[in-house]
Amino acid sequence: MEIITKISDLRTKIKEWKKEGKTIGFVPTMGFLHEGHASLLKRCREENDIAITSNFVNPTQFGPNEDLEAYPRDFEKDCQLCKNIGIDVVFHPEPSEMYNNPYTYVNIDTLSSTLCGKSRPIHFKGVCTVVTKLFNIVTPDRAYFGEKDAQQLAIIKKMVKDLNFDIEIVGCPIIRENDGLAKSSRNTYLNSEERKAALCLSKAIMKGKEIISHATTPEIVLNEMTKIIENEPLAKIDYISMVGLDDMQPVKEINKDILVAMAVYIGKTRLIDNFIYKV
Ligand code: PAF
């Protein structure tokens, strides 16, 4: 496995592989890898001749008061995991290698106006920009994203379609701890009391899944889910919403494929979870 820090070095390698007709799979990450990432990396390894991952905490997707500095990092452990999975390249650029006083950004309307995009106004502009740059550098055949970040996945799929990237976007299921909590790099911020409290997210998700097929309105589902979160003293709801899977806009009826998504603060830690309901 090679660790590459320079864009030009990665491009040289990729040109050689492309000349040999090899397919390239890509998993963009911000590091501090957990089993959720491992599932994407394994699938990427299985489905492509060459498996590349990026490990880059992208500054442009963090707002001014967010956790960019505190974001957990453990590059050595990440590399060990990638090596065990058989990843060919870990791309680990410095921020200055990725951003040199840029004036160009990629943004997406509508799909980023709700849910996390509403609470974190510059977030998806940063995500779309860095993913576009990484796609242009790596030029993968397939790229893998987790369904835990369901809005991000919908946005990347739309961006790829709108900007004519010749890349297949593969969504991979949420990986959970044994007790139900969705795996996330941010779970590491939780103390033991908060870790227990965080279970209210997956409990609300389970409740939503259980009642949605016989609920007549979105409110019935959302109210039941809200009650579960509100019962937990350490939890504070950022949002709980039901949106169309195609446009990420709130739905009035449950008559198309939808995403039920939530962001909840447990203490100072903002966690997300969701489920998809197909009619
Ligand atoms: O999902 C993430 O970890 C990030 O948003 C991504 C896609 C790696 C872009 O920085």
Side-chain angles (χ1 to χ4, degrees):
M1 188 184 81
E2 257 188 88
I3 297 164
I4 296 182
T5 57
K6 296 284 174 225
I7 295 168
S8 56
D9 292 346
L10 183 56
R11 283 203 158 129
T12 306
K13 283 240 100 162
I14 287 169
K15 267 190 200 139
E16 283 167 22
W17 280 320
K18 293 234 162 174
K19 254 196 230 150
E20 294 165 13
K22 297 208 159 128
T23 58
I24 295 188
F26 177 48
V27 183
T29 82
M30 298 210 298
F32 209 71
L33 306 179
H34 50 69
E35 283 162 50
H37 297 109
S39 74
L40 309 184
L41 291 164
K42 281 181 193 155
R43 183 138 176 217
C44 175
R45 174 63 292 163
E46 277 161 27
E47 295 179 353
N48 303 280
D49 297 324
I50 302 294
I52 300 179
T53 185
S54 59
N55 190 304
F56 177 62
V57 181
N58 172 37
T60 63
Q61 69 189 72
F62 290 81
N65 299 318
E66 292 183 356
D67 57 343
L68 172 61
E69 293 310 320
Y71 197 81
R73 292 156 167 92
D74 192 342
F75 186 60
E76 267 181 36
K77 194 160 164 243
D78 291 349
C79 285
Q80 196 51 55
L81 179 85
C82 291
K83 210 169 167 187
N84 294 346
I85 292 173
I87 296 301
D88 296 291
V89 172
V90 177
F91 179 49
H92 185 51
E94 286 294 327
S96 57
E97 178 74 3
M98 289 299 283
Y99 295 107
N100 181 10
N101 192 20
Y103 287 83
T104 311
Y105 291 90
V106 181
N107 210 352
I108 184 161
D109 294 335
T110 312
L111 273 75
S112 65
S113 66
T114 56
L115 313 179
C116 288
K118 196 169 173 195
S119 317
R120 306 180 68 191
I122 63 149
H123 177 66
F124 287 118
K125 179 177 163 192
V127 170
C128 287
T129 302
V130 81
V131 170
T132 297
K133 287 164 76 69
L134 290 166
F135 281 176
N136 283 331
I137 296 164
V138 178
T139 60
D141 298 280
R142 293 185 196 88
Y144 298 79
F145 292 84
E147 286 174 355
K148 185 165 101 30
D149 296 301
Q151 188 177 19
Q152 169 171 282
L153 177 58
I155 284 174
I156 299 294
K157 280 186 177 162
K158 185 74 175 105
M159 180 186 87
V160 160
K161 193 161 173 246
D162 288 352
L163 299 184
N164 308 98
F165 282 106
D166 191 11
I167 300 172
E168 182 193 340
I169 302 301
V170 184
C172 302
I174 298 176
I175 305 292
R176 296 182 181 277
E177 303 284 356
N178 287 339
D179 60 6
L181 180 67
K183 300 248 180 194
S184 163
S185 304
R186 289 190 170 96
N187 290 350
T188 186
Y189 295 148
L190 303 169
N191 65 31
S192 62
E193 211 187 332
E194 290 169 341
R195 174 65 184 75
K196 277 187 215 139
L199 286 181
C200 67
L201 279 93
S202 51
K203 282 187 188 147
I205 291 291
M206 277 192 290
K207 186 70 181 173
K209 273 189 186 168
E210 186 191 310
I211 61 176
I212 194 162
S213 60
H214 41 89
T216 45
T217 64
E219 285 69 38
I220 292 174
V221 181
L222 297 174
N223 289 346
E224 285 301 312
M225 293 173 70
T226 302
K227 267 193 234 161
I228 292 174
I229 307 288
E230 284 180 347
N231 251 334
E232 173 48 63
L234 294 181
K236 189 168 154 278
I237 295 171
D238 179 7
Y239 66 79
I240 300 187
S241 295
M242 201 181 281
V243 296
L245 202 49
D246 53 345
D247 59 4
M248 297 286 124
Q249 295 306 303
V251 291
K252 292 200 170 67
E253 286 174 78
I254 308 174
N255 59 0
K256 63 176 190 170
D257 292 350
I258 54 172
L259 169 70
V260 183
M262 62 168 83
V264 175
Y265 284 94
I266 302 293
K268 287 196 171 116
T269 306
R270 186 175 176 279
L271 299 176
I272 57 173
D273 205 342
N274 71 73
F275 71 94
I276 287 168
Y277 179 70
K278 299 211 170 183
V279 287

